[in-house]
Amino acid sequence: SIICDYIAPERRSGVFAIHNFGTYVGMMLALLLGGWVGERLGWRWTFVIMGIAGIALAIIVRFTLREPRRGRFDGPQESGSVAPLLGTLAILWRSRTYRLLLIVFSLNGFIQQGLFLWWPSFYTRTFHLGLQTAGTYLGFALACGGARGTLLGGAVANSPARHDVRCPLRISAGVLLLALPIG
């Protein structure tokens, strides 16, 4: 990740929390604006307008974000050629941590995205709310709960990460296990 080339390992938990905070802000804005536009113009135009906003953001990032020097915080590297893709995948797959992270992030992403896509329809059908109202309530609920939890988790994980880089992963795993019954 580009963040790893900008930030020292002992500070990454907090910076990744700020990065992930943007995910919740983005979801909140998508629900708020998507509900408002969807109620007025329909779902098709909502996709068009959100797509145009995404393209505009991509252009801004393209012309403002500078590439850092790669590997700035990495340890000494052997000089040589770049490993082939299949060789790199084999090395990653032999790592138990990588396999566990892959499984956890895949399952968590599947559940989260399923809920985020399903909730607006559920609330509009079950409670007879308009798209704008459902989007507003869900947007603020996600932003307040998710963003606060993400920032707090990053702050809590930063301190133990100075002593053991595995601590943030353990904290994340514990939080996901606690959230599982609620989800």
Side-chain angles (χ1 to χ4, degrees):
S1 143
I2 196 169
I3 291 174
C4 294
D5 291 324
Y6 273 117
I7 306 298
E10 62 273 4
R11 292 189 43 236
R12 287 185 189 155
S13 297
V15 174
F16 273 115
I18 293 168
H19 173 267
N20 291 333
F21 173 79
T23 301
Y24 289 101
V25 171
M27 284 189 290
M28 179 188 74
L29 291 174
L31 287 165
L32 289 171
L33 297 173
W36 185 82
V37 173
E39 201 163 277
R40 282 158 183 72
L41 302 176
W43 67 269
R44 289 176 183 88
W45 278 106
T46 303
F47 275 99
V48 170
I49 291 169
M50 294 297 190
I52 291 169
I55 291 169
L57 182 61
I59 291 169
I60 291 169
V61 167
R62 167 65 180 92
F63 291 106
T64 60
L65 185 64
R66 300 290 170 241
E67 285 286 327
R69 185 172 56 88
R70 296 285 178 212
R72 180 173 150 203
F73 293 106
D74 296 346
Q77 302 291 319
E78 292 181 23
S79 63
S81 64
V82 176
L85 177 62
L86 291 178
T88 302
L89 291 175
I91 291 168
L92 286 172
W93 192 250
R94 285 194 296 268
S95 168
R96 181 175 180 266
T97 303
Y98 177 79
R99 288 193 314 269
L100 289 173
L101 285 171
L102 188 65
I103 291 167
V104 167
F105 286 138
S106 297
L107 291 173
N108 186 52
F110 179 77
I111 292 167
Q112 293 284 335
Q113 295 307 315
L115 286 173
F116 295 148
L117 294 172
W118 177 72
W119 275 334
S121 296
F122 172 76
Y123 284 116
T124 56
R125 293 176 185 161
T126 304
F127 300 109
H128 309 291
L129 299 174
L131 284 175
Q132 182 178 357
T133 305
T136 301
Y137 289 145
L138 285 170
F140 280 114
L142 285 171
C144 292
R148 187 175 34 208
T150 298
L151 290 175
L152 180 63
V156 167
N158 251 358
S159 181
R162 289 186 184 105
H163 306 290
D164 186 356
V165 294
R166 296 173 294 185
C167 284
L169 292 174
R170 289 182 176 139
I171 291 169
S172 295
V175 169
L176 283 173
L177 285 173
L178 288 173
L180 187 63
I182 297 167

